[in-house]
């Protein structure tokens, strides 16, 4: 094990190296660029034999990734915000072709107006695209989640692409103490790569991306859903194996002071750290408060979350994105898991990188305890 001061982006680049990514088509976009730059530096230094492909857009990046993955090599790309919006057409192609492409995403707000800072609007936009989605709180989690995601994505019973999220600027650019595990240990964990097919194998020709009529299209979509259901169990199984290396847990979600909590906050990614700090302060005052931090957003762990939150007096769900005209994405999933048995308040925070502070988390718990729960969105701004 090697401990280094790394940014989240640098930690992600190290994960790509250890995974042995062979083709990396990418187009720069803030705040994703340090991930691509970090991996390019690794290749330039001779520490990876990967082929970097400089393309003219994110649509081309994902198109090239689809071609490379269909040709049977370990493939990754990376993006943010408008880049993900531009490549979204091919994002659906990647999952429909069952290609285990790995994509680190530095979360960033969507235009308009133009904004380069963090919120989760970009990846929530493609939450139903058939990709596995994992959110990271820290650089360490980002590094480890990328390794786990690729192991699950390439499983022969899954064969789905996976995107791993990190908060743009907040975590991509922040330097942390990151534990990097030995190359040989990670290589042994990942095992060999057996691509689903190879379109360049002329002795075993494969038809890729054919037109599908109503008598077959339905079955393709059912097979994607079955693969996502398979991923649900394999994420846990492979997480247990990775835990033997890192000592860290890879459950669907993290519980922090949650089991005996009367009031709970649900929030993803870096803001969970802010919530933990405030929970520690309130616990010292005898307040029974806690946190549930979802890690896996697709597939969504409805039953497990229902079990973890049942019995709480009230819950606040904090979303960093909107679903205009509907419930915010994370709140909608938690509401579906719990039904109407527990009072729940939906909050939206951090759009376009707006800061959230300890005092905001404290106020949320105060409002829960005072029973200030209704069906309207409350804005933390």
């Amino acid at each position: 094990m090697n401990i280094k001061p790394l940014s989240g982006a640098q930690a992600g680049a190290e994960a790509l190296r250890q995974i042995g990514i062979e083709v990396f088509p990418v187009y720069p976009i803030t705040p994703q660029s340090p991930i691509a730059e970090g991996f390019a530096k690794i290749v330039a230094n001779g520490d990876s034999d990967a082929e970097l492909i400089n393309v003219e857009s994110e649509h081309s990046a994902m198109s090239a990734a689809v071609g490379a993955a269909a040709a049977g090599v370990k493939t990754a790309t990376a993006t943010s915000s408008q880049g993900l919006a531009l490549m979204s057409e091919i994002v659906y192609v990647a999952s429909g072709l069952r290609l285990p492409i790995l994509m680190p995403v530095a979360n960033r707000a969507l235009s308009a107006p133009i904004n380069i800072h963090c919120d989760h609007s970009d990846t929530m936009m493609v939450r139903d695209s058939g990709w596995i989605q994992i959110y990271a709180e820290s650089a360490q989690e980002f590094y480890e989640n990328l390794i786990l995601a690729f192991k699950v994505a390439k499983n022969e019973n899954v064969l789905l692409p996976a995107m791993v999220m990190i908060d743009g600027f907040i975590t991509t650019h922040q330097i942390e103490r990151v534990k990097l595990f030995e190359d040989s240990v990670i290589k042994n964990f990942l095992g060999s790569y057996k691509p689903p097919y190879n379109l360049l194998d002329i002795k075993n020709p494969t038809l890729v991306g054919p037109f599908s009529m109503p008598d077959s299209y339905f079955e393709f979509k059912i097979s994607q859903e079955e693969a996502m259901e398979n991923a649900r169990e394999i994420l846990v199984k492979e997480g247990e194996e990775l835990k033997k290396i890192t000592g860290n847990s890879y459950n669907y979600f993290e519980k922090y002071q949650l089991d005996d909590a009367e009031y709970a906050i649900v929030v993803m990614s870096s803001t969970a750290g802010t919530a933990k700090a405030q929970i520690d302060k309130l616990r010292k005052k005898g307040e029974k408060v806690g946190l549930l931090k979802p890690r896996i957003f697709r597939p969504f762990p409805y039953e497990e979350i229902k079990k973890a939150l049942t019995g709480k007096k009230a819950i606040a769900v904090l979303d960093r994105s909107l679903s205009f005209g509907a419930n915010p994405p994370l709140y909608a999933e938690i509401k579906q898991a719990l039904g109407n048995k527990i009072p729940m308040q939906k909050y939206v925070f951090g759009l376009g990188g707006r800061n959230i502070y300890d005092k905001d988390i404290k106020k949320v718990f105060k409002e829960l305890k005072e029973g200030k729960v209704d069906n309207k969105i409350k804005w933390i701004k």
Side-chain angles (χ1 to χ4, degrees):
M1 182 173 65
N2 189 7
I3 299 176
K4 289 185 175 181
L6 295 175
S7 68
Q10 291 170 325
E14 280 296 319
L16 296 177
R17 180 188 66 78
Q18 291 190 318
I19 291 167
I21 292 301
E22 295 169 288
V23 175
F24 188 67
V26 70
Y27 190 80
I29 182 172
T30 301
Q32 165 268 98
S33 296
I35 300 173
E37 292 166 359
F39 191 59
K41 184 177 181 180
I42 287 170
V43 174
N45 289 340
D47 295 323
S48 168
D49 294 327
E51 180 77 21
L52 266 73
I53 305 176
N54 294 314
V55 291
E56 72 276 19
S57 73
E58 286 87 354
H59 191 281
S60 298
M62 184 54 70
S63 297
V66 165
V73 297
K74 290 187 280 188
T75 306
T77 183
T79 194
S80 288
S81 184
Q82 301 309 119
L84 182 56
L86 182 55
M87 68 168 53
S88 62
E89 177 189 9
I90 313 302
V91 164
Y92 281 79
V93 173
S95 57
L97 293 177
R98 306 290 300 279
L99 298 171
I101 297 167
L102 183 63
M103 182 161 65
V105 179
N107 279 124
R108 171 185 146 182
L110 288 169
S111 298
I114 294 175
N115 181 292
I116 62 170
H117 295 280
C118 176
D119 68 34
H120 297 165
S121 303
D122 50 2
T123 48
M124 286 301 171
M125 170 184 61
V126 293
R127 63 187 182 275
D128 294 327
S129 62
W131 286 57
I132 295 166
Q133 287 195 332
I134 307 177
Y135 286 79
E137 177 184 344
S138 64
Q140 186 71 48
E141 284 191 5
F142 188 51
Y143 162 73
E144 295 172 17
N145 285 348
L146 282 165
I147 293 168
L148 175 63
F150 189 72
K151 180 70 182 290
V152 174
K154 73 182 185 70
N155 185 291
E156 62 181 1
N157 294 316
V158 178
L159 293 176
L160 289 175
M163 60 181 76
V164 178
M165 277 60 77
I166 184 171
D167 280 353
F169 286 118
I170 299 168
T171 322
T172 52
H173 289 59
Q174 177 176 281
I175 303 295
E176 295 180 26
R177 179 177 178 271
V178 179
K179 297 178 185 175
L180 300 177
F181 298 91
E182 297 296 330
D183 290 356
S184 59
V185 172
I186 298 303
K187 185 177 181 180
N188 185 56
F189 168 73
L190 290 170
S192 60
Y193 180 63
K194 183 181 178 182
Y197 46 82
N198 182 350
L199 59 78
L200 299 181
D201 183 358
I202 58 174
K203 294 182 178 179
N204 298 287
T206 303
L207 183 62
V208 177
F211 182 74
S212 178
M213 291 292 283
D215 64 347
S216 60
Y217 181 88
F218 207 144
E219 280 67 31
F220 278 112
K221 297 300 114 178
I222 291 174
S223 73
Q224 283 180 250
E225 176 60 17
E226 290 173 345
M228 191 65 81
E229 285 302 312
N230 293 340
R232 192 182 301 279
E233 294 183 6
I234 293 168
L235 278 162
V236 174
K237 177 186 174 185
E238 296 298 347
E240 288 298 315
E241 292 301 311
L242 186 56
K243 183 179 180 179
K244 294 175 183 176
I245 298 170
T246 67
N248 296 321
S249 175
Y250 302 94
N251 293 329
Y252 298 119
F253 48 82
E254 178 186 344
K255 294 192 295 184
Y256 188 79
Q257 303 279 18
L258 185 68
D259 287 343
D260 69 339
E262 296 176 343
Y263 302 94
I265 282 178
V266 180
V267 68
M268 298 196 297
S269 299
S270 63
T271 308
T274 307
K276 290 173 184 175
Q278 184 57 41
I279 286 168
D280 287 344
K281 293 177 183 176
L282 295 175
R283 280 274 173 174
K284 288 180 180 177
K285 296 179 180 179
E287 299 188 30
K288 290 188 174 182
V289 294
L291 167 76
L292 186 146
K293 182 190 77 178
R295 295 179 54 253
I296 312 295
F297 195 78
R298 287 292 183 270
F300 197 84
Y302 294 101
E303 291 300 321
E304 292 81 2
I305 282 183
K306 179 181 179 180
K307 183 178 180 181
L309 292 177
T310 293
K312 307 306 174 194
K313 290 184 177 178
I315 297 165
V317 181
L318 279 58
D319 271 271
R320 200 160 198 157
S321 61
L322 279 167
S323 179
F324 298 106
N327 285 322
L330 180 58
Y331 175 88
E333 303 294 7
I334 301 296
K335 187 71 173 177
Q336 182 173 334
L338 296 177
N340 296 317
K341 295 182 179 179
I342 303 173
M344 288 178 58
Q345 180 61 52
K346 47 193 166 188
Y347 291 84
V348 171
F349 74 100
L351 300 183
R354 184 76 58 90
N355 286 331
I356 182 169
Y357 300 98
D358 277 14
K359 62 181 178 60
D360 299 313
I361 301 296
K362 184 178 180 180
K363 182 181 178 184
V364 168
F365 278 122
K366 184 174 183 289
E367 290 178 346
L368 288 182
K369 286 182 285 186
E370 293 174 350
K372 295 180 178 178
V373 176
D374 58 34
N375 197 36
K376 297 180 180 178
I377 295 174
K378 291 185 179 179
W379 312 100
I380 300 174
K381 59 182 182 178

